[in-house]
């Protein structure tokens, strides 16, 4: 009945399908001791940094600090090996907002927007990029105009029924008066971006100073609540990651379409705060990218429960793709695909067996890869499992339509002991009788005198006559039996070999 939550961070060292399992100590029900899962790891993560303009004073260029945070762990000692491995998996490109094109967004897994003044055309590109599954991280700064962001980028996708959305308030604070700073006191250590700061149990963000910032708000503050509070609508609501001492959020994540927005009310340069100069900045940016990355073009679930369909998705540009799933027994299953919105999807329906399933997609397109390998796992549905012992009526109902007899008794019941353990199979007795007959034949064949050298002495006594008759009967049966024939064949074979030797 115990329940425990442990955050685990894993940075894969190679692309492809990785199979893993969580294992717990064994108990009386061993089928749930291993929880299977798969990771479908992409080969590279393309990061696009968009800044207002190139050049200028270094303390005003957030793109320089962002690029340094992404690339420096490759060459310097980071907080751990995980940051270094994330940095080594990145491909970073930096452009100005005026250079941004639709093709750049199509190739980007994550976009970092650093202190940019929007225009309607490129803002619509960014909006479409997020709604189709991309990840956008926004760092505010002197060039950010709150009205533009509210109308062109942060507006809810459904204007008729708007949900809770992020709003940028007017900037507060004086960057020239560093004595009037505010500190970060509220940290959601359960969020994937910040779980790394919970591993060493140290105090983080205590030396961060914000001199000027944009307070963030949600149009429904009561619905935001505590970031760690479970809620049935948490998947579509904004979530505060960092808060100030007076409780306004300065870092909020919000789902938007199939993608996500991560809005920071502070700048990525040291012009408005000292955060880019603190050791928390590098892991914060790296984990934000790992969490916000665009969904892969081909997708499969990490795990499903038995008999639930496993949905497989692929780009709409692959109408002739062939999909095959191999179950844990090695049996292939052809999967039909159908268009769903801007993608093609298929489903593996035969998922009753626990284990790993391998997915192979053949796009049959000129510019697509020859094959794409994915995978998923099937686990027991422990949420719906009932471990209550079966009663008499339940057991008889489970065995229908067969007729069963329910016998009540204890483990040491003498009646059950005699009924269940006192019976023996007849085949064992017959086998031992057969071995006894063979042994008797062999014994008689070995010990009887040779009839050619023995002179029979007839007797007139009844007992002697009966003994002689029994002896002749056994000897004649022996000569016609299997053992007799084998012995005669052995003697002939020995005589033949002796003749050949001479």
């Amino acid at each position: 009945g115990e329940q425990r939550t442990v955050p685990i961070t894993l940075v894969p060292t190679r692309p492809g399908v990785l199979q893993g399992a969580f294992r717990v100590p064994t108990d009386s029900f061993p089928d749930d001791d291993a929880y299977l899962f798969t990771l479908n790891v992409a080969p590279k993560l393309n990061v696009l940094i968009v800044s207002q303009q190139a050049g200028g004073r270094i303390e005003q260029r957030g793109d320089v600090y962002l690029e340094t945070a992404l690339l420096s762990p490759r060459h310097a000692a980071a907080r751990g090996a995980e940051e270094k491995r994330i940095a080594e998996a990145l491909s970073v490109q930096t452009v100005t907002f005026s250079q941004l094109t639709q093709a750049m967004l199509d190739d980007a897994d994550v976009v970092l927007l650093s202190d940019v003044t929007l225009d309607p055309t490129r803002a619509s590109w960014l909006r479409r990029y997020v709604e189709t599954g991309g990840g956008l991280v926004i760092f505010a700064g002197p060039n950010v105009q709150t009205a533009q962001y509210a109308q062109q980028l942060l507006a809810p996708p459904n204007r008729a029924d708007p949900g809770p959305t992020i709003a940028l308030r007017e900037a507060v604070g004086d960057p020239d008066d560093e004595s009037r700073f505010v500190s970060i006191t509220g940290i959601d250590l359960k969020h994937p971006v910040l779980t790394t700061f919970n591993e060493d149990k140290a105090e983080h963000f205590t030396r961060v100073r914000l001199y000027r910032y944009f307070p963030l708000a949600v149009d429904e503050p009561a619905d935001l609540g505590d970031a760690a509070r479970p809620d049935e609508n948490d998947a579509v609501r904004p979530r505060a990651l960092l808060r100030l001492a007076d409780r306004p959020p300065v870092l909020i994540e919000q789902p938007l379409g199939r993608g996500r927005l991560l809005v920071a009310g502070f700048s990525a340069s040291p012009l408005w705060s000292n955060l880019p100069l603190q050791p928390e900045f590098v892991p914060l940016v790296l984990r934000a990218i790992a969490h916000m990355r665009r969904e892969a073009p081909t997708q499969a679930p990490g795990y499903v429960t038995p008999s639930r369909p496993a949905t497989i998705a692929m780009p709409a540009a692959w109408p002739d793709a062939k999909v095959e799933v191999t179950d844990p027994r090695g049996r292939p299953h052809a999967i039909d695909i159908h268009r769903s919105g801007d993608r093609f999807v298929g489903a593996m329906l035969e998922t009753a067996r626990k284990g790993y399933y391998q997915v192979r997609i053949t796009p049959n397109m000129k510019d697509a890869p020859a094959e794409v390998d994915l995978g998923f796992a099937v686990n027991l549905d422990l949420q719906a499992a009932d471990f209550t012992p079966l009663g008499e009526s339940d057991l008889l109902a489970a065995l229908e339509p067969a007729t069963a007899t329910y016998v009540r008794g204890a483990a040491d019941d003498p009646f059950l002991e005699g009924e269940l353990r006192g019976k023996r199979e007849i085949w064992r007795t017959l086998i031992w009788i057969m071995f006894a007959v063979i042994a008797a034949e062999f014994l008689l064949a070995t010990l009887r005198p040779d009839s050619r050298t023995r002179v029979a002495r007839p007797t007139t006594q009844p007992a002697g006559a009966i003994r002689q008759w029994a002896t002749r009967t056994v000897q004649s049966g022996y000569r016609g039996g299997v053992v007799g024939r084998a012995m005669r064949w052995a003697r002939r074979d020995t005589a033949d070999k002796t003749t050949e030797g001479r």
Side-chain angles (χ1 to χ4, degrees):
E2 181 183 0
Q3 192 174 65
R4 184 179 304 173
T5 300
V6 180
I8 299 176
T9 302
L10 173 64
V11 181
T13 57
R14 63 174 179 85
V17 181
L18 304 183
Q19 297 177 346
F22 294 103
R23 301 188 184 278
V24 296
T26 58
D27 52 17
S28 58
F29 187 71
D31 292 338
D32 66 341
D33 293 343
Y35 183 86
L36 310 180
F37 67 93
T38 59
L39 298 176
N40 298 303
V41 184
K44 185 181 292 186
L45 201 155
N46 296 319
V47 180
L48 181 62
I49 301 176
V50 182
S51 62
Q52 179 66 18
Q53 60 184 6
R57 297 169 55 187
I58 189 67
E59 65 270 14
Q60 297 179 350
R61 296 187 55 188
D63 59 322
V64 174
Y65 287 87
L66 290 174
E67 186 174 355
T68 303
L70 298 180
L71 300 179
S72 60
R74 300 180 182 179
H75 314 290
R79 294 182 67 252
E82 296 175 356
E83 278 75 18
K84 182 176 181 180
R85 285 188 284 180
I86 294 177
E88 291 175 345
L90 302 180
S91 175
V92 182
Q93 180 183 7
T94 303
V95 297
T96 62
F97 191 65
S98 59
Q99 296 173 338
L100 182 64
T101 63
Q102 184 66 57
M104 294 179 181
L105 294 176
D106 293 339
D107 294 336
D109 292 308
V110 180
V111 176
L112 303 181
L113 206 60
S114 176
D115 189 19
V116 169
T117 302
L118 299 177
D119 66 59
T121 301
R122 291 179 173 83
S124 64
W125 294 349
L126 290 170
R127 176 72 179 225
R128 175 63 179 169
Y129 167 77
V130 177
E131 291 179 345
T132 56
L136 177 61
V137 183
I138 301 174
F139 290 92
N143 297 308
V144 169
Q145 300 181 13
T146 57
Q148 287 182 339
Y149 278 76
Q151 297 174 4
Q152 302 174 13
L153 200 56
L154 302 179
N158 187 355
R159 304 290 180 135
D161 184 19
T165 56
I166 303 174
L168 282 170
R169 303 306 186 196
E170 293 299 327
V172 296
D174 185 2
D176 297 327
D177 186 4
E178 296 185 356
S179 62
R180 303 180 62 181
F181 65 85
V182 294
S183 302
I184 296 175
T185 58
I187 307 173
D188 182 5
L189 295 176
K190 294 185 179 181
H191 192 277
V193 175
L194 301 175
T195 53
T196 182
F197 301 110
N198 195 31
E199 296 174 355
D200 52 8
K201 305 300 181 181
E203 294 292 334
H204 295 283
F205 295 95
T206 56
R207 294 182 296 176
V208 174
R209 307 287 186 263
L210 301 183
Y211 311 119
R212 185 172 175 82
Y213 61 94
F214 287 88
L216 304 180
V218 179
D219 60 358
E220 296 177 8
D223 290 341
L224 182 61
D226 188 359
R229 177 177 56 87
D231 192 285
E232 60 181 3
N233 296 322
D234 279 347
V236 296
R237 294 190 178 191
R239 180 172 176 178
L241 278 64
L242 297 178
R243 293 179 181 271
L244 301 180
D246 52 353
R247 301 302 293 167
V250 289
L251 184 64
I252 297 182
E253 179 195 11
Q254 178 186 5
L256 184 62
R258 294 211 313 264
R260 290 188 294 265
L261 283 171
L262 186 63
V263 182
F266 47 83
S267 173
S269 69
L271 182 64
W272 282 11
S273 73
N274 68 345
L275 177 58
L277 305 177
Q278 298 300 316
E280 290 88 353
F281 186 68
V282 171
L284 175 66
V285 176
L286 288 174
R287 298 308 175 94
I289 289 176
H291 175 67
M292 299 290 294
R293 61 167 300 165
R294 179 204 287 268
E295 59 184 7
T298 55
Q299 290 182 315
Y303 68 94
V304 295
T305 54
S307 301
R308 291 294 184 92
T311 304
I312 304 164
M314 64 206 72
W318 298 356
D320 299 326
K322 305 297 182 183
V323 183
E324 184 179 80
V325 178
T326 304
D327 62 20
R329 293 177 295 179
R331 298 172 55 184
H333 302 263
I335 306 299
D336 297 330
I337 61 173
H338 310 277
R339 179 178 289 276
S340 176
D342 59 348
R343 315 196 79 184
F344 275 100
V345 297
M348 173 65 175
L349 303 179
E350 301 180 23
T351 59
R353 181 176 294 271
K354 179 181 177 180
Y356 296 106
Y357 291 71
Q358 300 176 355
V359 182
R360 174 159 295 180
I361 302 175
T362 307
N364 293 323
M365 294 293 294
K366 180 178 180 182
D367 298 331
E371 288 182 347
V372 178
D373 292 327
L374 302 174
F376 63 91
V378 174
N379 292 286
L380 296 180
D381 187 8
L382 299 180
Q383 298 294 333
D386 184 7
F387 295 98
T388 304
L390 292 177
E392 179 179 355
S393 59
D394 298 327
L395 184 59
L396 296 179
L399 296 176
E400 290 182 351
T403 303
T405 302
Y406 195 89
V407 180
R408 299 178 182 274
D412 55 350
D413 192 330
F415 173 76
L416 293 179
E417 180 74 18
E419 287 294 320
L420 300 180
R421 299 185 180 180
K423 297 181 179 180
R424 296 291 184 268
E425 295 181 352
I426 192 174
W427 299 108
R428 297 182 180 179
T429 304
L430 294 178
I431 290 174
W432 283 111
I433 292 176
M434 182 185 68
F435 280 129
V437 171
I438 295 176
E441 280 193 339
F442 182 78
L443 183 63
L444 292 174
T446 305
L447 300 180
R448 73 178 181 83
D450 192 351
S451 60
R452 291 174 296 182
T453 60
R454 185 185 58 199
V455 178
R457 297 179 180 179
T459 179
T460 58
Q461 299 296 328
I466 294 174
R467 187 182 301 108
Q468 292 179 359
W469 172 84
T471 302
R472 289 194 300 269
T473 302
V474 172
Q475 291 176 355
S476 62
Y478 160 78
R479 293 191 186 95
V482 177
V483 177
R485 289 195 295 270
M487 295 295 293
R488 289 194 297 274
W489 173 84
R491 286 196 294 268
R492 287 197 302 271
D493 184 66
T494 303
D496 294 340
K497 289 182 178 179
T498 304
T499 304
E500 291 177 359
R502 292 178 180 176

